[in-house]
Every structure is written in C-alpha cells, then in structure tokens.
Amino acid sequence: MNQPYDLLIEDSAFQKTLVALSSKLEISQEEVNALATKALKELYTIQQPLLHTMGIQMAEFIVGRAYEKTIDVNISEFKELAKLMRRHSVAFVMTHKTYIDMFVLGIALARHGLKIPYIFAGINMAFAGLGQLGRRAGAIFIRRSFKEDEVYKATLRHFIGHLVKEKCHFMWAIEGTRSRTGKLVWPKMGILKYIQEAEKH
C-alpha cells in the first residue's frame, strides 16, 4: 500500500541526492532508500483542521488558567505578518525558557485567521498516543542528534524544502533542548539553515 510520503521519496531531485550518498557512503541504493524511507516516516506529518481547532482550544484553556484571556497585539504588525506569510514561509523562533510563548503565538495567529505553523519537537516526545496525535496536528519529530547521519540530514532537508514550497510555516525552540540549569544554551542553526536554503530555490 502506498504511503503519503512515497511521492517525496520518489522525487527525482531527492533520488539524485540519494544516488550520490550511495556512492559516498559505499552502500547500496536499496539501503540508502530504506534509510531515507525510515527517516521520512519519522518526520512526516500533516495538519488536520479539526485537531488544530482542538489544539488551540486546549492552549487557550492552559493559558487562561494562569493569565488573562485577552492577548494584546499590534494590529498593523499583524497585517504585515499576514502579507509576509502569504508570500513566504515564516520561521517563528523562540527559546526553551517557557512553552507559554508557543501557546500564545498559536492562539494569536488562530484568532487573526493566520496559518498555524508546523512545530519541531524531539523524537523522544513521539511516544504512544502523543506521537500519533502530534503527526496529525503538524508536529515534526526530529532526532536529537544526527550530525553524522548523512541520509537523515538529506531527508530532513528535503522534507523541509517540500513544506517551504507549500508556503508552510515553522515554530521551534532554537536551542534544540533545555539546559539542565534552566539557562539559555547555544542555538542550533541547522533547521533555520535548511529553511533559508529552501527559500532560495
């Protein structure tokens, strides 16, 4: 049975990349394709409107428990943001100091009729139940470390490029993980770099 990500694997440009990796890594084309398919299966997500609505309602409930429900925004800047989001993919980058920022941003975007971004999360969050729900709500679960994994990096770059072509948007904490002390840690620029590269093509 065909999977929704099969067309991404079969993309001609991506196949050329995988052929080159097969030669570079000295492994068979079949093995490279299998590794890319496994990676894309982990990464692949869709955005279902019903789950978005439920997610925003949950975010409003969580935020409303501790803060005022009114969110003050600069209307003129939101109008400029709307224009930008129609023309380009937008990266909403924040820190791991608090998750409330992501909730508030999602709520504000939804209230003004703007697209909800895809959210990058660690693969450790894709446990039973939450993983399935997240992949239907636009969560992209990525491995914590893949510096040496050429096939995974190429697959992640390809998937991000596909979403950028669709004018999708992204939101994540740029450090990649929380520090043990609660202090900010050095940012990881890989995802931002992939989005920027995809915007140029």
Side-chain angles (χ1 to χ4, degrees):
M1 179 182 295
N2 289 339
Q3 298 297 329
Y5 46 77
D6 283 343
L7 289 178
L8 293 177
I9 288 289
E10 295 165 4
D11 177 80
S12 59
F14 187 47
Q15 280 297 313
K16 288 180 181 178
T17 299
L18 295 182
V19 168
L21 284 174
S22 173
S23 176
K24 178 182 178 181
L25 301 174
E26 299 181 342
I27 57 178
S28 70
Q29 183 66 35
E30 291 75 15
E31 188 173 354
V32 169
N33 273 323
L35 291 171
T37 299
K38 179 183 178 182
L40 193 54
K41 184 178 180 181
E42 290 178 8
L43 295 165
Y44 191 79
T45 180
I46 54 177
Q47 290 184 320
Q48 295 184 351
L50 177 60
L51 285 178
H52 267 178
T53 300
M54 292 172 59
I56 293 300
Q57 290 175 345
M58 184 180 297
E60 288 180 322
F61 173 76
I62 293 171
V63 173
R65 298 275 291 179
Y67 301 93
E68 293 290 336
K69 293 184 178 180
T70 301
I71 298 175
D72 294 325
V73 300
N74 185 313
I75 298 299
S76 63
E77 289 187 359
F78 249 76
K79 289 180 179 179
E80 289 301 313
L81 176 61
K83 293 177 184 177
L84 183 64
M85 291 177 73
R86 284 194 293 269
R87 298 195 304 268
H88 302 282
S89 287
V90 174
F92 296 96
V93 182
M94 48 201 69
T95 74
H96 257 304
K97 292 290 284 184
T98 172
Y99 289 113
I100 292 296
D101 295 342
M102 293 189 181
F103 287 139
V104 171
L105 175 61
I107 293 167
L109 291 173
R111 287 180 180 177
H112 288 81
L114 301 180
K115 286 184 178 180
I116 304 300
Y118 283 82
I119 300 175
F120 290 102
I123 193 70
N124 59 301
M125 298 297 293
F127 48 81
L130 185 60
Q132 293 91 327
L133 186 65
R135 288 189 174 95
R136 293 190 179 102
I140 303 172
F141 295 105
I142 62 174
R143 298 176 190 174
R144 287 298 187 187
S145 178
F146 49 87
K147 186 180 294 185
E148 307 300 325
D149 193 330
E150 296 289 337
V151 177
Y152 185 86
K153 285 194 292 186
T155 306
L156 176 59
R157 184 184 289 111
H158 176 54
F159 185 50
I160 289 175
H162 161 72
L163 294 177
V164 169
K165 286 180 182 177
E166 297 293 319
K167 298 291 189 296
C168 298
H169 312 291
F170 307 91
M171 176 168 58
W172 76 101
I174 198 162
E175 310 101 313
T177 186
R178 281 183 176 274
S179 69
R180 294 185 181 277
T181 63
K183 295 181 179 179
L184 295 179
V185 296
W186 198 255
K188 295 182 178 179
M189 306 300 289
I191 291 174
L192 192 60
K193 178 184 175 183
Y194 292 166
I195 294 171
Q196 184 181 37
E197 289 173 348
E199 268 286 331
K200 292 179 179 178
H201 291 84

